[in-house]
Amino acid sequence: MIDLSQGDCLELMKDIPDKSIDLIVTDPPYNVSATNDGGTINKVKKLNKSLKDLVETNITNGYDIETLGEEFMRVMKEPNIYLWCNKTQIPEYFKFYVEKYKCKFDILCWHKNNALPTYSNKYLSDTEYLLYFRKGKGKCFPKSYEDAKTYYIAPINHKDKKKYKHPTIKPLDITEKVIKNSSKENDIILDPFMGSGTTGVACKQLNRNFIGIELLEEYYNIAKERINNIVRED
């Protein structure tokens, strides 16, 4: 089952029954600043272009973690959720999932070895975080040492960014690993911030059911074509 929708996920998720989702894997909007820690505009040409792409897609101002989190908790059978984020969002995520709902957690990291040179008065922004929150048994069962690692070293995939036109596209191999680690075949996986459809591609290849929601029509159409036309993406 592949179920794709275009619109506001907070509204569309109201149609998803209580306790019907086995796993959520998603990449919500980050909090991104156009300045460095000293308050000056970064003058790196590639960074300005990158930030322009983010602003134009309306994914620089974060989102209401608690409001949408309550909806996530409603639709999941038990808490079982992977959330991509940057460092500024980590405290709020922990306040909601760990302090309020007493979830166990892991912090997975994608270390990019070709990050933009944005180190003026700050460390490089070369790490993205994939927070994993869960409760109950049987939610995390990696089958190998490689699958159990919590860090991944890989470059930004400029080829996929160009092909699928999404500025924050995530690696397919990482997405496949976490889905294999935390779900079974025929489980129902939700991605309410579908973007260009990476989670859906992984689900289709791994024989999982998938519900994807994307606000922007351009990315919805890209994701729909990408997911529906794929047989196997190596």
Side-chain angles (χ1 to χ4, degrees):
M1 179 268 291
I2 301 290
D3 182 358
L4 308 179
S5 301
Q6 190 256 316
D8 185 334
C9 64
L10 189 57
E11 292 300 316
L12 293 174
M13 284 178 62
K14 293 177 181 178
D15 295 328
I16 298 177
D18 294 358
K19 299 188 180 303
S20 61
I21 300 298
D22 295 288
L23 172 67
I24 295 174
V25 179
T26 194
D27 184 17
Y30 287 13
N31 286 325
V32 179
S33 173
T35 64
N36 61 30
D37 290 347
T40 59
I41 297 295
N42 223 307
K43 295 182 179 179
V44 178
K45 185 175 181 180
K46 287 184 178 180
L47 176 63
N48 289 339
K49 173 63 168 62
S50 179
L51 287 170
K52 182 175 182 289
D53 291 342
L54 294 175
V55 170
E56 287 179 351
T57 52
N58 194 31
I59 51 178
T60 61
N61 296 319
Y63 73 107
D64 190 330
I65 288 173
E66 183 170 1
T67 297
L68 202 53
E70 293 290 357
E71 194 66 5
F72 292 163
M73 298 300 287
R74 179 186 69 80
V75 302
M76 287 185 289
K77 293 176 181 177
E78 288 185 296
N80 193 29
I81 181 169
Y82 288 89
L83 296 146
W84 285 100
C85 70
N86 60 3
K87 66 179 182 180
T88 62
Q89 295 171 300
I90 291 175
E92 191 172 353
Y93 276 122
F94 271 69
K95 181 178 180 181
F96 181 78
Y97 289 100
V98 178
E99 293 183 23
K100 182 172 183 178
Y101 280 101
K102 312 303 180 187
C103 291
K104 296 179 181 178
F105 70 88
D106 285 287
I107 303 176
L108 286 67
C109 298
W110 171 26
H111 301 293
K112 296 174 282 189
N113 53 14
N114 63 342
L116 290 170
T118 56
Y119 52 82
S120 177
N121 201 39
K122 63 186 285 293
Y123 284 103
L124 278 174
S125 298
D126 59 355
T127 301
E128 292 190 44
Y129 303 92
L130 182 56
L131 306 184
Y132 177 38
F133 300 106
R134 66 191 185 277
K135 290 183 76 172
K137 297 181 179 179
K139 299 293 189 305
C140 185
F141 39 90
K143 298 295 192 299
S144 70
Y145 183 85
E146 285 299 315
D147 287 347
K149 285 183 176 179
T150 59
Y151 67 92
Y152 304 88
I153 301 174
I156 299 169
N157 192 335
H158 293 294
K159 181 180 177 181
D160 279 353
K161 287 179 72 171
K162 183 176 181 180
K163 183 176 181 180
Y164 301 117
K165 300 178 173 62
H166 199 285
T168 65
I169 192 167
K170 296 302 186 290
L172 179 60
D173 58 342
I174 298 176
T175 306
E176 288 182 335
K177 280 186 180 182
V178 300
I179 289 173
K180 286 191 297 184
N181 286 347
S182 297
S183 69
K184 300 178 178 65
E185 287 193 5
N186 300 313
D187 276 357
I188 300 175
I189 317 299
L190 169 66
D191 185 350
F193 296 98
M194 180 169 60
S196 60
T198 301
T199 304
V201 170
C203 286
K204 192 167 185 180
Q205 294 186 159
L206 296 171
N207 195 28
R208 269 68 167 172
N209 296 301
F210 177 65
I211 298 174
I213 303 171
E214 172 53 37
L215 177 64
L216 299 180
E217 184 177 3
E218 177 187 2
Y219 294 131
Y220 168 76
N221 289 331
I222 290 171
K224 182 178 180 181
E225 181 178 5
R226 183 184 178 195
I227 294 167
N228 288 342
N229 291 342
I230 198 166
V231 175
R232 177 74 191 181
E233 188 168 296
D234 296 318

